[in-house]
Amino acid sequence: MLRKSLAVLYTALALGANPVAADVAALRIGDMKKLALHSAPVALAEVGLLDADDAPKSMADYHGKWVVLNFWATWCAPCRHEMPSLDRLQAALPDIAVVPVATGRNAVPGIRKFYAEAGITNLPILRDPKSELSRSASVMALPVTLILNPQGQEVARLIGDAEWDSDSAKAILSALAAQ
């Protein structure tokens, strides 16, 4: 009981020290209750990615925008389940970059086939074939979604799948972007 009380107190103090985080925390309902807000931004390593044509890409391409960075794989059932909601989120909030990164072995034809079957039309195809970005971000299982500030730093993390086009998710992202 003492441990739980201390955890609640610590969270309240951390969020109280950051009024924006406290406001955003109040918006977490449904799947967004799993969203962990950081008390301070965390740097993301600069690791090269590849697009569907093997052209080099980087998360630095998204600096200046709020980013929903989703680590997924074609073989991951929860990843496949949440991908349409990420696509709808991108359509609903075009000022926020929704960036799925297929980590590990994911063949481009398989990604294209899944995108076509799931009706994914608003999301890029990016790959982290050696899992370098996911490892550097301490992603231990899939799916994991990071929210990055315009400086490319992680400000929140959600482990597991979620409905990213829910009213709660859109409210949280809109509140963060309004900072």
Side-chain angles (χ1 to χ4, degrees):
M1 179 67 178
L2 177 63
R3 190 177 276 170
K4 185 175 181 180
S5 296
L6 287 174
V8 169
L9 177 63
Y10 173 78
T11 301
L13 289 172
L15 292 175
N18 184 346
V20 173
D23 291 344
V24 170
L27 298 171
R28 295 180 305 162
I29 59 173
D31 288 340
M32 291 299 114
K33 286 182 181 177
K34 299 185 286 186
L35 183 68
L37 299 163
H38 304 326
S39 58
V42 178
L44 186 69
E46 286 296 328
V47 175
L49 301 171
L50 298 173
D51 70 9
D53 299 317
D54 288 331
K57 296 292 180 184
S58 167
M59 290 308 300
D61 298 340
Y62 298 96
H63 285 186
K65 294 186 96 172
W66 281 89
V67 174
V68 175
L69 171 60
N70 177 264
F71 291 95
W72 76 290
T74 55
W75 48 263
C76 167
C79 302
R80 293 171 69 96
H81 173 77
E82 81 174 338
M83 192 65 74
S85 73
L86 288 162
D87 189 61
R88 291 187 301 268
L89 174 66
Q90 183 63 87
L93 299 176
D95 291 338
I96 293 174
V98 180
V99 182
V101 174
T103 190
R105 294 184 179 153
N106 293 278
V108 173
I111 296 172
R112 287 188 195 279
K113 180 180 178 193
F114 169 67
Y115 272 37
E117 290 171 350
I120 306 299
T121 59
N122 299 300
L123 302 178
I125 293 177
L126 291 177
R127 300 176 297 124
D128 179 20
K130 295 181 182 176
S131 301
E132 293 172 291
L133 182 60
S134 61
R135 272 197 315 273
S136 71
S138 300
V139 171
M140 302 297 178
L142 296 175
V144 170
T145 305
L146 312 180
I147 298 176
L148 308 180
N149 65 18
Q151 293 76 39
Q153 301 164 316
E154 179 182 340
V155 297
R157 176 179 293 229
L158 190 145
I159 298 172
D161 62 323
E163 289 300 318
W164 283 100
D165 62 333
S166 69
D167 290 341
S168 178
K170 290 187 284 190
I172 288 167
L173 293 165
S174 295
L176 288 170
Q179 292 183 33

